[in-house]
C-alpha cells in the first residue's frame, strides 16, 4: 500500500491512509479514487448533507468485502464535526454525525464510507422533516424507463396538489428519487401520510404501471412508491453518494428535462466530476423555497373519508402504529373459519 496522502477540502486537510486499497475491483478504482471523487463534488454533497443527521454505509475493504451501517457517531470523530441526538422507532437513541463542512465527507471516506444516508431533518429540529422524499422503486419486470414515466406523472401530481416542485435524481440503480423541500411543520407520521396520498394519486392515474402495495407478492410488474422511506429512521442515499455496485455509480441530481434522456449508467465516479465542473450542483436551488403539505394532507383526508383508504403497513421493525392495518403477508394471513352449512 502507498503511504498516506493528504487531501484539502474547505480549508481543512484530511489524511487518507492506504490510498491504493482497491474498492471497486472490476475497474480497479481505489480508496483514493473515491476520496478524490468526493473532493470534486464536495459543494454538492455538502448541500445534500448539511446539518443533517447522517448514517454512513461503510465498506472498509471495498465493495467485495463486509459492510455495515454506522448510525452512531464513530469514536475519534473530529470535534469540528457536530452531532445531533436522534431517537429510533425502538425508543433507543444515538448521537449521529451532522456534516457542516466539506472535509467531513472526506473524513468519512477515509473510513470506507461509500454512501451517505441523511435524515430528512436538520439537527436543530430532528422531529420535523424539511423534505418530502418520494422513492420510485422498479419491481422485477420493470426498469428505469418505467420509473421515468412514473416520475413525469409524479411531477404533475406534485404541481396539482399545492404547486410543489420536486427535484429528481437517479438512485444509482434502476430507480428515481424525487425530493420536495417542505416547511418543517409536520411530524414524520404526517409527512408519511402525505407520501401515501401522493402514491395513491399516482396509482389512480397509472394503475397498470404504479403501486403502493407493501407486500411484494401484490406489487406485480409495477413501480412501487415506497412511502415507508418517509418513516422515522428510514433514509435515502444522498445526491452524489457513491453506490456499492461494481461500476461505482453515483446518485445523480437531474434537471427535469434530463429525466428520460440521461441514464443511470451515465453517472459514476469518473464521469460526475466533469459534469459537476461544467454545470455545478443542478440542485443548488433546493434551499430557496419550502412548500406546504396542506393540499396533500387534504387529499389524504379525502381518500380516507370518500374511499375508505386508511393507513398502510409500517416496516416490520416498527412498533404497531394507531390505525395501521394487519402487518401479515396476505398469502399467510389466517383464513376465516368456514361457517355452518
Amino acid at each position: 500500500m502507498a503511504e498516506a496522502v493528504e487531501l484539502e477540502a474547505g480549508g481543512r486537510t484530511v489524511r487518507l491512509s492506504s490510498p491504493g486499497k482497491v474498492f471497486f475491483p472490476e475497474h480497479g478504482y481505489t480508496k483514493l479514487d473515491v476520496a478524490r471523487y468526493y473532493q470534486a463534488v464536495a459543494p454538492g454533497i455538502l448541500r445534500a448533507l448539511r446539518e443533517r443527521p447522517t448514517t454512513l454505509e461503510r465498506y472498509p475493504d471495498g465493495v467485495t468485502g463486509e459492510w455495515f451501517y454506522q448510525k452512531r457517531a464513530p469514536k475519534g470523530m473530529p470535534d469540528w464535526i457536530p452531532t445531533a441526538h436522534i431517537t429510533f422507532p425502538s425508543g433507543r437513541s444515538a448521537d449521529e454525525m451532522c456534516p457542516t463542512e466539506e472535509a467531513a465527507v472526506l473524513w468519512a471516506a477515509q473510513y470506507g464510507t461509500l454512501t451517505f444516508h441523511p435524515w430528512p431533518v436538520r439537527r436543530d429540529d430532528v422531529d420535523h422533516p424539511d423534505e418530502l422524499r418520494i422513492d420510485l422503486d422498479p419491481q422485477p419486470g420493470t426498469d428505469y424507463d418505467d420509473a421515468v414515466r412514473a416520475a413525469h406523472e409524479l411531477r404533475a401530481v406534485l404541481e396539482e396538489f399545492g404547486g410543489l416542485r420536486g427535484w429528481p435524481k437517479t438512485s444509482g440503480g434502476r430507480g428515481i428519487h424525487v425530493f420536495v423541500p417542505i416547511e418543517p411543520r409536520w411530524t414524520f407520521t404526517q409527512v408519511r401520510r402525505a407520501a401515501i396520498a401522493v402514491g395513491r394519486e399516482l396509482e389512480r392515474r397509472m394503475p397498470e404501471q404504479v403501486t403502493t402495495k407493501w407486500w411484494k407478492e401484490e406489487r406485480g410488474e409495477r413501480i412501487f412508491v415506497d412511502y415507508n422511506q418517509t418513516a422515522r429512521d428510514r433514509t435515502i442515499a444522498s445526491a452524489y453518494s457513491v453506490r456499492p455496485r461494481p461500476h461505482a455509480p453515483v446518485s445523480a441530481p437531474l434537471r427535469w428535462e434530463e429525466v428520460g434522456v440521461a441514464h443511470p449508467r451515465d453517472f459514476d465516479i469518473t464521469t460526475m466530476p466533469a459534469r459537476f465542473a461544467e454545470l455545478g450542483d443542478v440542485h443548488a436551488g433546493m434551499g430557496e423555497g419550502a412548500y406546504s403539505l396542506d393540499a396533500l394532507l387534504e387529499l389524504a383526508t379525502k381518500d380516507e373519508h370518500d374511499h375508505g383508504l386508511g393507513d398502510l403497513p409500517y416496516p416490520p421493525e416498527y412498533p404497531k402504529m394507531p390505525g395501521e392495518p394487519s402487518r401479515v403477508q396476505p398469502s399467510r394471513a389466517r383464513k376465516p373459519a368456514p361457517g355452518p352449512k
Side-chain angles (χ1 to χ4, degrees), residues 24-275:
F24 292 89
E26 183 171 295
H27 294 285
Y29 300 147
T30 64
K31 181 179 180 180
L32 180 58
D33 291 326
V34 172
R36 282 181 171 157
Y37 161 74
Y38 278 127
Q39 193 178 28
V41 301
I45 192 167
L46 180 62
R47 188 269 311 157
L49 301 179
R50 189 190 302 274
E51 304 279 356
R52 298 189 184 281
T54 301
T55 296
L56 309 178
E57 187 177 342
R58 293 177 54 188
Y59 293 76
D61 295 311
V63 294
T64 58
E66 294 185 1
W67 65 278
F68 58 95
Y69 290 111
Q70 176 98 46
K71 292 190 174 185
R72 299 178 183 276
K75 292 181 179 179
M77 190 174 71
D79 58 11
W80 49 266
I81 301 179
T83 61
H85 194 72
I86 54 174
T87 302
F88 304 115
S90 65
R92 296 182 178 182
S93 62
D95 293 320
E96 197 156 302
M97 73 174 291
C98 296
T100 56
E101 301 182 35
E102 295 174 4
V105 177
L106 293 187
W107 180 86
Q110 149 64 13
Y111 291 94
T113 301
L114 293 184
T115 308
F116 295 82
H117 296 268
W119 282 47
V121 300
R122 308 284 181 172
R123 66 188 178 105
D124 60 351
D125 185 356
V126 297
D127 293 318
H128 296 90
D130 68 345
E131 286 180 349
L132 169 66
R133 299 173 174 180
I134 308 299
D135 181 5
L136 300 176
D137 184 9
Q139 300 303 291
T142 64
D143 57 21
Y144 179 74
D145 291 336
D146 297 300
V148 164
R149 287 186 280 273
H152 283 297
E153 190 61 40
L154 170 62
R155 185 185 186 187
V157 170
L158 293 173
E159 174 62 33
E160 183 173 336
F161 291 92
L164 310 182
R165 178 182 178 182
W167 298 76
K169 68 182 184 71
T170 67
S171 67
R174 298 184 304 140
I176 294 178
H177 302 151
V178 179
F179 287 7
V180 180
I182 61 173
E183 300 166 2
R185 295 198 285 122
W186 296 275
T187 64
F188 279 94
T189 301
Q190 291 170 313
V191 174
R192 178 179 174 275
R193 186 166 173 253
I196 291 173
V198 168
R200 283 173 167 158
E201 180 63 23
L202 196 58
E203 193 175 33
R204 279 190 286 268
R205 298 183 184 198
M206 306 179 71
E208 301 301 318
Q209 293 83 38
V210 172
T211 183
T212 59
K213 297 292 186 182
W214 175 247
W215 302 106
K216 291 182 180 180
E217 65 186 32
E218 296 185 305
R219 294 176 189 171
E221 296 183 359
R222 291 180 286 184
I223 298 297
F224 172 49
V225 181
D226 191 352
Y227 59 88
N228 270 330
Q229 291 293 64
T230 54
R232 179 184 288 273
D233 192 35
R234 283 298 180 104
T235 56
I236 294 177
S238 77
Y240 301 103
S241 272
V242 180
R243 305 315 309 274
R245 295 179 174 87
H247 60 290
V250 302
S251 180
L254 299 175
R255 297 168 294 194
W256 275 109
E257 58 267 27
E258 295 178 298
V259 176
V261 177
H263 191 275
R265 295 286 305 203
D266 298 336
F267 309 107
D268 59 35
I269 65 171
T270 65
T271 61
M272 180 56 81
R275 172 182 167 89

